[in-house]
Structures are given as structure tokens and as C-alpha cells.
Amino acid sequence: MFQHVVVPIDDSEAAWRAVPIAARMASAVDGKLDVVTVVDRVGEVENEQMTLRTGLERLGKLSVDARADVLVHDSIATAIAEHVESLNGAIVVMSSHGHGRSASVLGSTTDDVLRELYGPVVVVGPQVADDAGALDGSYVVPLDGSPLAAAVLPIVTAWSVEFGGTPWLLEVIDANAVTPSDMQDSAYVARRARETKRTTGHEVQFEAVHHKHPAQAITQFVEQHGASLVFATTHGRTGMSRLRSGSVAADIVRHARCPVVLHRPPELPG
């Protein structure tokens, strides 16, 4: 589990929205908070250090004290990844501007960091509530029957055991699909819920809903259940199943009122 929370900051105001949320997460684990920015010239370090300190002062009192670091590198994502890997147990929490439709629309830096780290990366979208950052509560986990989508389940399991969250495994079924019964519709997530409960010893809920727009169904479910986190895999390749496509992940980030824990796992067979 993580003991450091790293928040990348660029020159946008939106980037700073992730800092109080990350501070609450760090506080929950008695961890440390690093606010970092990346420059490509050593001569810029002093000015950027001052900018970070000014930004932190503007935020006021946080749940934990924050350290400001300026990294020198010609690749933002590589610098962040190397910084995270240099720490003992760290996770990235970062804002997304929420523009566009593809995987890269999460923000090119967000997508690049996911590629470098293979997740998990906690993404704070534009609709996330200011008081977000709780690690307990309900975890919404969209599944689509694929091994790749299910690859996030070990992370969900670990977080639910560590923080006491209650996973809600959610399958979105095409509203036009003809199925014999709701029982058959929910068979896959019911089985996954039983498996996860056996692993964790904690309660695991499940639901199958009919909707023609997966991201909309997921964000509505998040709102209805007051979820604290969404957990999802993202691949960003075309020709994949709907919940694995970058556009759905981007839509969830864009509309969800809680942070989204994105995981880009190694390629899985099948």
C-alpha cells in the first residue's frame, strides 16, 4: 500500500484541485504528500520552486504538510514515473482537464503517466467534489466480462481490505440486448463478487444495469450510491470492448463526482 502521494502540477489552475484531495488520502494512511512540477532546464528550478510554494500557501491549511519538488527532465511523464519509483510506496494523484474523447483526452500527461507506471493513477476530474478524497465508502468497479477489465480487481481487493471500502461490481449491459432474465444478466458480476468476498472476507455488492451509454450509466450509479472512488482499467486501443476503450474511461473521469483510480495493466491474452 502507498505511503507517499505525488501530485503533478502544471501551469493550470485545474492541476491544484487535486492537492487537497491528495492530502486527505495521504492523511488517511499517515503518509507524505509531494507536490511536483517538471522543467527541462536547471535555470528554471528556483522560479518554479517559488511558484509551487506560493500555490501551496494559497490553498491554506492541508490535512498533511506538503513538500514541493521541482524535477528536471525533458519528459514530464518519465520524470514523474522516476520520482514515484524512487519513493517507497507511492501513488500519483493528478487532475484531468476533462476535454476531448480519446484516451489521451484524459490529458496527454495523464495518459503518458499511465503508460509509464501501468497504474494505478488516481485521476481527479472536473466534476469531483471539493471534499472528495475518502478512502473508505463505496467503490464502483465497472466490469465488462473481459480479463483486462477484471485486472483492476486485485487493486480493489487490496484497497477494500486496507481502508474498509465496499466494492460495487457493476456491469453495464446494452439496453437493446435481448436477455432471458435479470438473473442471467447479473451472473458474471455475481460470480466475481463471490470470488472477491472470499478473498477479502468483506462484503461485496454487485449490480447489472441496462443502458446504451456505459459511461453515463456508471456515473449515474456513482452519484446514486455516493461512491468515494471508481476503479477502472484503461487501454486506449481501438477495437476493444466498450468498457476498455479510452473514450469510456475519459467520460467517467469527465463526469464522475469522485476520483477515478485508473489502472493500465500489462497486455493480457484473450
Side-chain angles (χ1 to χ4, degrees), residues 43-129:
E44 298 175 348
V45 170
E46 187 174 346
N47 283 341
E48 289 301 319
Q49 189 84 43
M50 186 176 301
T51 298
L52 287 181
R53 289 172 180 161
T54 301
L56 287 169
E57 289 173 1
R58 189 174 69 247
L59 289 176
K61 182 66 175 176
L62 297 171
S63 303
V64 295
D65 293 332
R67 185 177 73 180
D69 283 322
V70 180
L71 312 176
V72 182
H73 205 288
D74 57 3
S75 167
I76 295 174
T78 301
I80 294 166
E82 290 178 353
H83 183 70
V84 168
E85 290 165 3
S86 73
L87 301 171
N88 182 23
I91 193 168
V92 171
V93 177
M94 62 192 304
S95 288
S96 168
H97 301 282
H99 302 301
R101 294 287 304 174
S102 69
S104 62
V105 242
L106 291 172
S108 58
T109 300
T110 309
D111 196 54
D112 288 346
V113 169
L114 277 164
R115 291 180 187 278
E116 291 275 354
L117 291 176
Y118 284 100
V121 173
V122 182
V123 183
V124 177
Q127 303 301 320
V128 170

Side-chain angles (χ1 to χ4, degrees), residues 16-47:
W16 287 97
R17 291 194 63 243
V19 176
I21 292 167
R24 294 186 198 103
M25 296 175 69
S27 177
V29 298
D30 294 323
K32 298 178 180 178
L33 176 65
D34 290 355
V35 177
V36 304
T37 195
V38 181
V39 297
D40 57 8
R41 293 191 299 273
V42 174
E44 298 175 348
V45 170
E46 187 174 346
N47 283 341

Side-chain angles (χ1 to χ4, degrees), residues 136-140 220-229 257-258:
D136 55 3
S138 296
Y139 299 166
V140 174
Q220 286 175 352
F221 193 87
V222 166
E223 187 74 16
Q224 290 165 3
H225 288 78
S228 54
L229 294 166
R257 287 185 53 78
C258 66

